Amino acid sequence: MNILLLGSGGREHALALKMSQSPLCGKLFIAPGNAGTAQCGTNVNMGVSEFDKIKSFCLEQDIQLVVPGSEEALVNGIYDYFGQDEALKHIPVMGPSREGAQLEGSKAFAKLFMQRHNIPTAAYREFNEETYEEGVAYLKQHSLPIVLKADGLAAGKGVVITSDHDEAVEEFTQMIKAAKFGDASKKVVIEQFLTGIELSVFVITDGHTYKILPEAKDYKRIGEGDKGLNTGGMGAVSPVPFADAAFMKLVEDKVIRPTIDGLSKEKIIYKGFVFFGLINVAGEPFVIEYNCRMGDPETEVVMPRLQNDLVELFVAVNEGKLASRQIFTDQRAAATVMLVSKGYPEAYEKNKEISGIPAPGKDQIVFHAGTKQEGDKVLTNGGRVLSITSLASSLSLALGHSVQTANHIAFEGKTFRRDIGYEFI
């Protein structure tokens, strides 16, 4: 079958590589893609939310499956766009409906959904411009620290944690009154701070049944020891040592099953990945957030450990046969280290030539994130540039191999963390 994958990051390179290995995969197109995805299929100069262009392309190239990599197209309703168009409705879109994507697209929607289905999450209240004064009063008496979240999508930057009441009021004011995160912060969720250790759990679902994929933990801070500014992710590990059978049973019983059952009961169409951003609070799982797609850089450790044919799983989702499938996982540990541009996550330069990228092997893959090809040169084209994933018998060995390759690859201003997975090593 001919497949169109939407996106351009490390996640999309990992998905593209996995799909290209399937005997079910005919032609694979990636829009817009990067220098790495070009090695797995054909890049197409097309934006992930340019639905009319996507329609024309799918009809011209006889596309039989569309896989949105990021949340943008899903929250913008690509599933509904295809389902409501007579010329496109025969093409499955691997993702939720616009309503289902609100699990990620609106923090308030997600919180109310969890409340309705008794899914453990932090206590919260939501405010908008009309209830601004009430929100200020609420903040002034709130216990510290305080978590403020822009309701909508804010490119992973719409969350502020503060241990000062005045700072909390200032941030709240910036969000509501000064549109700090644009339309995303027209509504703000104020949340109880939970103390614990985070992890990411992923399932693939047809909206009624589900299969659990390998879990992961990512590292958001730019600096070693989890210091400095938040980024899109500086690395990830899988498996997560504390996510043993007993903990994962709690996750399935208290979080995953009630979520999928809730989607089914509310007749919300959902075919694709659900990302559960969790925190382990004294052995109990709480949901921090939902995402309606795979995480990045978690995909770069999950896909190398997943031994199933990914395209076959997508077909099973579409045909309602997922319940009969079994997930197979590589028992080795995976660690990915992200190489980023100097200055990231703030201002950074592009178009730096990259050298020293090794060919993929059975124990290591370098996934492209922010790269582009110009002639025979690979250049930087984003804040997060390359994701180096290694598989080994232990996390420490896997990390060591990734760091070794990170030292070998060169581009001007290269930055990376050497302590990914530090609390488990």
Side-chain angles (χ1 to χ4, degrees):
M1 59 174 20
N2 296 338
I3 302 171
L4 173 62
L5 170 65
L6 301 175
S8 61
R11 164 182 49 220
E12 284 73 33
H13 187 187
L15 291 170
L17 180 61
K18 192 73 177 171
M19 289 192 290
S20 71
Q21 294 166 348
S22 169
L24 297 175
C25 183
K27 292 178 182 176
L28 176 61
F29 299 95
I30 309 94
N34 60 39
T37 60
Q39 299 164 17
C40 308
T42 304
N43 287 349
V44 184
N45 186 19
M46 189 165 60
V48 301
S49 288
E50 293 184 302
F51 292 172
D52 291 345
K53 284 186 181 178
I54 290 169
K55 173 182 177 176
S56 299
F57 183 84
C58 287
L59 297 176
E60 287 164 11
Q61 297 294 332
D62 188 26
I63 297 298
Q64 291 149 295
L65 176 66
V66 174
V67 182
S70 67
E71 67 282 0
E72 181 186 323
L74 293 165
V75 171
N76 287 339
I78 192 168
Y79 182 97
D80 312 72
Y81 179 88
F82 271 66
Q84 292 162 9
D85 189 307
E86 284 299 323
L88 297 174
K89 64 194 307 183
H90 67 285
I91 305 173
V93 175
M94 206 43 50
S97 62
R98 185 196 294 267
E99 185 183 15
Q102 286 299 292
L103 281 181
E104 176 169 1
S106 168
K107 302 290 189 297
F109 178 95
K111 283 289 193 179
L112 287 168
F113 178 88
M114 286 185 267
Q115 206 170 58
R116 288 195 297 274
H117 300 288
N118 298 311
I119 295 163
T121 189
Y124 81 103
R125 283 187 63 185
E126 62 181 81
F127 300 93
N128 57 26
E129 187 156 15
E130 289 178 11
T131 55
Y132 167 78
E133 295 297 341
E134 191 182 338
V136 170
Y138 180 72
L139 281 170
K140 286 179 177 177
Q141 56 80 46
H142 200 288
S143 59
L144 297 172
I146 302 171
V147 182
L148 297 98
K149 293 182 176 180
D151 175 63
L153 297 178
K157 295 171 183 164
V159 179
V160 175
I161 301 171
T162 177
S163 295
D164 181 275
H165 287 105
D166 292 338
E167 185 185 348
V169 171
E170 175 61 24
E171 285 291 344
F172 180 68
T173 303
Q174 286 293 313
M175 287 184 182
I176 296 276
K177 297 288 191 183
K180 180 176 181 179
F181 300 109
D183 287 348
S185 59
K186 282 184 173 177
K187 188 186 290 179
V188 173
V189 170
I190 297 173
E191 202 173 72
Q192 168 197 13
F193 181 82
L194 296 175
T195 301
I197 186 164
E198 296 180 23
L199 78 157
S200 304
V201 171
F202 307 92
V203 305
I204 187 167
T205 183
D206 56 13
H208 304 284
T209 60
Y210 60 87
K211 294 294 172 181
I212 303 174
L213 305 177
E215 79 286 354
K217 184 180 191 308
D218 78 328
Y219 295 80
K220 294 288 189 199
R221 300 282 186 175
I222 187 70
E224 293 182 7
D226 276 339
K227 293 184 172 66
L229 295 172
N230 262 331
T231 72
M234 294 295 291
V237 298
S238 180
V240 179
F242 68 79
D244 56 16
F247 181 77
M248 288 305 293
K249 185 175 189 311
L250 289 175
V251 171
E252 184 169 11
D253 292 346
K254 295 188 175 188
V255 176
I256 297 173
R257 192 175 297 115
T259 297
I260 306 304
D261 286 351
L263 292 169
S264 182
K265 285 173 187 169
E266 296 191 21
K267 295 183 169 53
I268 295 173
I269 297 169
Y270 204 114
K271 295 183 177 183
F273 297 113
V274 187
F275 168 148
F276 300 88
L278 304 179
I279 185 166
N280 178 349
V281 181
E284 291 288 330
F286 285 75
V287 178
I288 299 171
E289 65 177 357
Y290 289 112
N291 289 160
C292 59
R293 37 70 189 183
M294 291 295 291
D296 193 348
E298 294 100 327
T299 307
E300 290 96 294
V301 289
V302 172
M303 286 300 140
R305 293 192 67 222
L306 179 68
Q307 294 184 320
N308 294 69
D309 179 328
L310 184 60
V311 178
E312 198 275 334
L313 286 177
F314 289 156
V315 170
V317 166
N318 185 53
E319 295 179 349
K321 297 177 180 176
L322 187 62
S324 64
R325 300 300 185 265
Q326 182 179 352
I327 297 298
F328 299 97
T329 303
D330 191 321
Q331 293 307 298
R332 291 178 297 170
T336 197
V337 170
M338 188 69 73
L339 304 188
V340 306
S341 299
K342 182 181 179 182
Y344 177 78
E346 298 185 306
Y348 57 84
E349 294 181 358
K350 298 181 181 180
N351 299 311
K352 306 297 183 184
E353 186 175 352
I354 307 168
S355 63
I357 302 174
K362 61 182 175 64
D363 299 324
Q364 188 176 84
I365 310 162
V366 177
F367 295 111
H368 291 242
T371 66
K372 64 180 178 181
Q373 189 92 32
E374 282 194 3
D376 58 355
K377 294 179 179 179
V378 176
L379 305 178
T380 67
N381 192 40
R384 294 191 296 170
V385 179
L386 296 167
S387 181
I388 305 161
T389 299
S390 301
L391 292 153
S393 58
S394 69
L395 277 177
S396 58
L397 279 173
L399 177 64
H401 295 160
S402 289
V403 168
Q404 191 174 19
T405 299
N407 286 324
H408 179 68
I409 295 171
F411 60 87
E412 185 185 329
K414 176 187 76 178
T415 302
F416 66 97
R417 279 181 60 170
R418 294 166 174 79
D419 68 338
I420 300 303
Y422 67 92
E423 67 269 67
F424 306 130
I425 293 171

